[in-house]
Amino acid sequence: MTDLTTAPARPHTPGPARETGPIRGALGTIEAGDTAPRRGPSAKLKTLLAVVGPGLIVMAGDNDAGAFGTYAQAGQDHGTRLLWTLLLLVPVLYVNQEMSLRLGAVTGVGHARLILERFGKFWGAFSVIDLFLLNALTLVTEFIGVALAVGHLGLPRTASVLCAAAVVIAVAATGSFRRFERAAIALVLGSLLLVPVYFLTHPATSRAAHDFVVPGLPHGSPLADVMLLIVAIVGTTVAPWQLFFQQSYVADKRVTPRFLRYARADLALGIALVIIGAAALTGIGAAAFAGTAGAGHFTDAAGIAHGVEDRAGRVAGVLFAVALLDASILGAAAVSLSSAYALGDVLGFRRTLHRGVRGAGVFHAVFGGLVLAAAGTVLAPGAPLGLLTEGVQALAGVLLPAATVFLLLLCNDRAVLGPWVNGRWTNALACLVVAVLVALSLILTASVLFPSLGTGALLGAAAGCGGAGLLAVGYADARRVRKGWARGGRPVNRTDRAGWRMPPLAELPRPRMSTGRRVGLTALRMY
C-alpha cells in the first residue's frame, strides 16, 4: 500500500534490539543458521515441535476467565443458539493472527514498535495506551476468575490469588524462554479438562451441531442484550492483545520466515483448540441449566460451576473450577506479556523472556507490576468486579477494528515485508473482517439507542457494511493495478523469500502517504 521507491529515510528512535540465536522451544530446538531441508515425516515433526507454542498459547490464552463467563453466559441464557458465531470467527482468527505472526517472523520486532516507526509517535502512543488500558481491565477479570475458581474449590481467597500472581511472575522471571513456554504449554493442555466436563453434563449434541452451522438469534430476548453478547463473543475470541502478543512472542522466540509454514500449522492447532473450548463452554452452560430456574439468569463463572455440580456431580464441578483456574493463570501471563512487550517497544527497554531480572529488569518490573496491581484490585474491598467481565469483552470487540486496520496497513508495507506482503485475497478478507467488526459495533450502538429497530433492519445494515468493505477492496485493488504500486509496475516477486527479512528499522525509508494509508488512518480517526 505504500510507494517507497523515492521516500527518504526517516529519523530513527532507538528501540530494543532484534533477538538472534537458536529457537529453543518447549518441545525442541532449531540451531541458529539451520537451513537444512526438512525431508521425511520425522524431520518435519521435530521442526514443528520446536516451533509450536505461539499459536497454541495465544489461542488457549484467549479462552481465559472472561471467555468462561461470556461463552457460559451465552449457553445459560440462550442455549446453543449463538454457537454459529464461533464458526464465522474461524477465518477472522486465522487472517488476523497469520498476519501478526508473519510480521513477527519477517521483521523480528514487536507490533507496537512497527506502528511507532511506520505511523509516527501519535499513532504509536495511541495504540499502546489503548492496549494498556484494555489489558489492565482484562487482567483484573483474570484474577476475578482465579478468585471464583478457588472459592468453589474451598481454598482461601486472598492467599490463593496472591499465590497465583506469584506463580505467573516467577515463571516469566526465570530468564529461560524454554521454561516459560513449557509451563504455558502445560496450562494449554489443562484447558482440555473442559471436554470431559462437557460430556459429563449430558448435552444435546445434535442440537449443538445444528446451531453451530445454522445461524439464528434467540427468541424473546431484548435485541440490545443479544447484540452486546455477540460483540462480547467477538471481543473475547479475537482480542487486540492477541495481535501484540503473537508478533512480539514470535520475534522473541526467534522464529524466521523459513519456518513460517510450521508457525501457521501451530496457529491452526491453536484455533481448533480455542473453538473446541468455546463450544464446550457454551454447551456446558446450556446443558447445566436446561429446564431449571437458572436458565436465562447468568451470574458468573462460579454460578456455572455450581450448576455443573448440581447437574453432573462433584467431580464435574471440581474439574470445571480447575479448568477456570488454569485458564485464568494462562490468560494473566499472556495479557501481561503483551503489555510488557508493547511498552518495551515504545519506551526502548529490552523486552525478552530470554533474560531474567538482571538482563531485562524493566521488562520484568512492568510485567510483575501489572500482575500484582490486577491481583490487588480483585482483593480490594468494594471493587465493582461484577461489572467488568462482559463489559471488558464487549469493549475489546469495539476496539478490535482499529487494531486490525494497523495490522492490515503494515502487512501491505513493502519496506517492512518485502515479498511477504499481503496478496489480493488476504486483503479482501481482512477488509471484509474490518467492515463486519465495524458493523457489529454500529449495530450494538443502534440497538441500544433505538430498541424498536427490527432484526431485519440491523442485519441489513451489517450486510451493507460488508458490501461497502468489499467495494472498497475492489476500488483499492483496481488503483493498485492501474498505478503499479508494486515496484516498477511489476507484481511482487515472491520467489526465494524464505531468507528475506526486514532490514534494520534505521535503514527503512519513510513511507509515503498513499491512498490506502490515507484512507485507513482517516477511518481510524472517524472511528
Side-chain angles (χ1 to χ4, degrees):
M1 284 189 179
T2 51
D3 180 7
L4 300 162
T5 55
T6 59
R10 64 177 295 159
H12 174 70
T13 52
R18 185 155 58 185
E19 284 293 325
T20 58
I23 298 173
R24 299 195 186 279
L27 306 176
T29 300
I30 299 174
E31 296 299 335
D34 183 353
T35 59
R38 266 60 179 174
R39 296 191 178 95
S42 177
K44 292 178 180 179
L45 178 60
K46 288 180 180 178
T47 304
L48 177 61
L49 290 175
V51 174
V52 152
L56 282 176
I57 294 169
V58 75
M59 289 291 98
D62 196 43
N63 268 355
D64 57 359
F68 266 67
T70 302
Y71 297 135
Q73 179 182 2
Q76 182 176 349
D77 290 355
H78 306 296
T80 56
R81 292 181 184 87
L82 294 178
L83 271 179
W84 56 271
T85 56
L86 300 178
L87 183 61
L88 293 182
L89 287 173
V90 170
V92 179
L93 280 169
Y94 185 81
V95 168
N96 275 5
Q97 295 305 128
E98 191 279 333
M99 287 193 291
S100 182
L101 75 86
R102 184 163 20 112
L103 280 169
V106 175
T107 68
V109 299
H111 194 60
R113 188 70 198 167
L114 280 184
I115 294 175
L116 176 68
E117 291 290 336
R118 304 307 287 170
F119 299 99
K121 292 182 179 179
F122 171 81
W123 290 113
F126 168 82
S127 66
V128 171
I129 292 172
D130 184 35
L131 174 78
F132 194 83
L133 293 176
L134 181 58
N135 280 6
L137 295 175
T138 304
L139 261 177
V140 174
T141 69
E142 308 298 358
F143 284 98
I144 293 174
V146 171
L148 294 176
V150 298
H152 185 80
L153 294 172
L155 299 174
R157 183 172 181 266
T158 300
S160 298
V161 169
L162 292 177
C163 182
V167 168
V168 172
I169 294 170
V171 169
T174 62
S176 169
F177 189 98
R178 170 169 285 174
R179 279 196 288 270
F180 173 85
E181 189 164 88
R182 283 178 174 170
I185 293 292
L187 292 171
V188 169
L189 295 176
S191 68
L192 295 175
L193 287 173
L194 288 173
V195 175
V197 175
Y198 173 79
F199 287 107
L200 286 171
T201 57
H202 305 291
T205 304
S206 59
R207 177 66 189 181
H210 172 272
D211 291 338
F212 188 71
V213 296
V214 179
L217 293 177
H219 301 294
S221 299
L223 186 59
D225 294 345
V226 174
M227 290 311 305
L228 177 63
L229 186 55
I230 290 176
V231 173
I233 290 172
V234 174
T236 195
T237 310
V238 194
W241 70 261
Q242 293 174 278
L243 307 179
F244 288 82
F245 175 89
Q246 176 97 335
Q247 181 173 337
S248 295
Y249 191 86
V250 165
D252 198 13
K253 189 170 181 176
R254 304 161 178 168
V255 176
T256 63
R258 185 172 297 279
F259 304 106
L260 257 178
R261 62 174 178 169
Y262 297 98
R264 287 167 175 157
D266 170 46
L267 174 60
L269 289 172
I271 291 174
L273 187 68
V274 77
I275 296 300
I276 290 171
L281 280 167
T282 305
I284 288 167
F289 295 93
T292 70
H297 300 285
F298 174 80
T299 54
D300 52 32
I304 299 293
H306 289 300
V308 169
E309 187 167 315
D310 293 339
R311 170 80 173 186
R314 177 62 178 169
V315 171
V318 168
L319 288 176
F320 184 87
V322 171
L324 173 59
L325 179 61
D326 175 276
S328 300
I329 292 174
L330 179 59
V335 172
S336 300
L337 267 181
S338 72
S339 295
Y341 277 140
L343 284 178
D345 285 333
V346 171
L347 299 180
F349 59 79
R350 188 169 198 171
R351 81 298 174 279
T352 177
L353 291 169
H354 290 283
R355 300 288 184 273
V357 175
R358 291 185 179 180
V362 178
F363 171 74
H364 289 290
V366 170
F367 179 87
L370 290 171
V371 172
L372 291 175
T377 301
V378 171
L379 295 175
L385 304 180
L387 300 176
L388 280 174
T389 301
E390 184 182 348
V392 168
Q393 310 310 320
L395 180 61
V398 171
L399 295 178
L400 182 61
T404 305
V405 168
F406 280 127
L407 184 65
L408 182 59
L409 293 175
L410 287 172
C411 283
N412 281 276
D413 190 332
R414 292 192 71 244
V416 170
L417 283 186
W420 292 99
V421 291
N422 278 359
R424 179 177 301 176
W425 291 109
T426 302
N427 280 334
L429 187 54
C431 287
L432 180 60
V433 165
V434 173
V436 171
L437 292 174
V438 171
L440 282 174
S441 300
L442 294 176
I443 288 173
L444 173 61
T445 304
S447 63
V448 172
L449 296 179
F450 308 103
S452 61
L453 285 178
T455 303
L458 293 174
L459 294 179
C465 286
L470 289 177
L471 289 175
V473 172
Y475 173 74
D477 197 57
R479 285 182 59 89
R480 178 173 169 175
V481 172
R482 180 167 60 86
K483 289 192 171 185
W485 282 7
R487 187 170 297 177
R490 297 186 298 275
V492 176
N493 181 8
R494 299 184 187 272
T495 60
D496 299 325
R497 59 180 180 170
W500 195 94
R501 299 200 76 186
M502 183 190 75
L505 286 169
E507 299 176 10
L508 293 186
R510 182 188 298 272
R512 288 187 181 278
M513 187 58 72
S514 66
T515 303
R517 180 175 290 255
R518 186 179 297 111
V519 169
L521 295 181
T522 301
L524 281 175
R525 291 189 182 97
M526 294 175 63
Y527 188 73

